[in-house]
């Protein structure tokens, strides 16, 4: 049986996180190739890695939710660091994935209300 030291586990986790972020970045750029040139692959990758780190800090365990947060960050860099949004996403008593779902539901409701209001 293979036994890894804590340092080796950390390196393995870091490598897996980088591979995951690269895969999600590649997926986004396949869906939206125009972003590869503006703002550019490296910028998108950095935004997505930042979102991944944030999701990890909050304890996300759902890959679709981590991916959703990363996709949002590609268009709205560091949006989750906005104080009111960060406060909502860190609200105690709920799983972090539910807090993201609730936040996005409120945003979608607001957008639909704005569209209905337009003359």
């Amino acid at each position: 049986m293979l036994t890894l030291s804590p340092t080796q586990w950390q390196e393995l986790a870091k490598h897996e996180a980088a591979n995951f972020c690269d895969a999600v970045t590649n997926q986004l750029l396949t869906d939206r190739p125009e972003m590869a040139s503006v703002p550019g692959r490296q910028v998108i990758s950095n935004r997505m890695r930042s979102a991944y780190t944030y999701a990890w800090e909050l304890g996300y365990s759902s890959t679709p939710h981590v991916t959703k947060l990363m996709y949002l960050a590609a268009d709205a860099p560091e949006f989750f660091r906005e104080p009111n949004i960060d406060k909502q996403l860190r609200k105690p008593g709920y799983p972090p994935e539910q807090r993201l779902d609730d936040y996005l539901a409120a945003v979608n409701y607001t957008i639909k209300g704005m569209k209905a209001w337009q003359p």
Side-chain angles (χ1 to χ4, degrees):
M1 174 181 227
L2 180 64
T3 304
L4 299 176
S5 71
T7 303
Q8 290 171 319
W9 274 113
Q10 287 177 335
E11 286 301 313
L12 180 62
K14 206 184 305 184
H15 182 71
E16 287 181 2
N19 285 343
F20 178 78
C21 289
D22 287 343
V24 175
T25 299
N26 290 339
Q27 179 182 338
L28 173 80
L29 294 176
T30 297
D31 295 342
R32 298 180 55 198
E34 71 280 0
M35 292 186 83
S37 58
V38 176
R41 179 175 178 51
Q42 190 59 49
V43 170
I44 295 299
S45 179
N46 290 343
R47 290 175 183 177
M48 293 184 119
R49 285 174 191 265
S50 178
Y52 176 88
T53 300
Y54 182 82
W56 184 83
E57 289 171 359
L58 267 57
Y60 281 61
S61 59
S62 163
T63 300
H65 284 86
V66 173
T67 303
K68 187 182 304 185
L69 190 68
M70 291 171 71
Y71 262 65
L72 290 167
D75 284 312
E78 302 288 321
F79 81 95
F80 45 83
R81 302 277 185 211
E82 177 69 33
N84 289 333
I85 296 171
D86 183 57
K87 180 180 175 183
Q88 173 65 29
L89 295 178
R90 291 180 184 273
K91 187 183 282 187
Y94 301 97
E97 293 85 358
Q98 182 180 349
R99 293 188 301 254
L100 179 62
D101 288 341
D102 291 348
Y103 170 74
L104 293 175
V107 168
N108 286 331
Y109 178 79
T110 300
I111 290 170
K112 285 180 184 176
M114 290 171 62
K115 286 181 180 177
W117 180 78
Q118 292 178 356

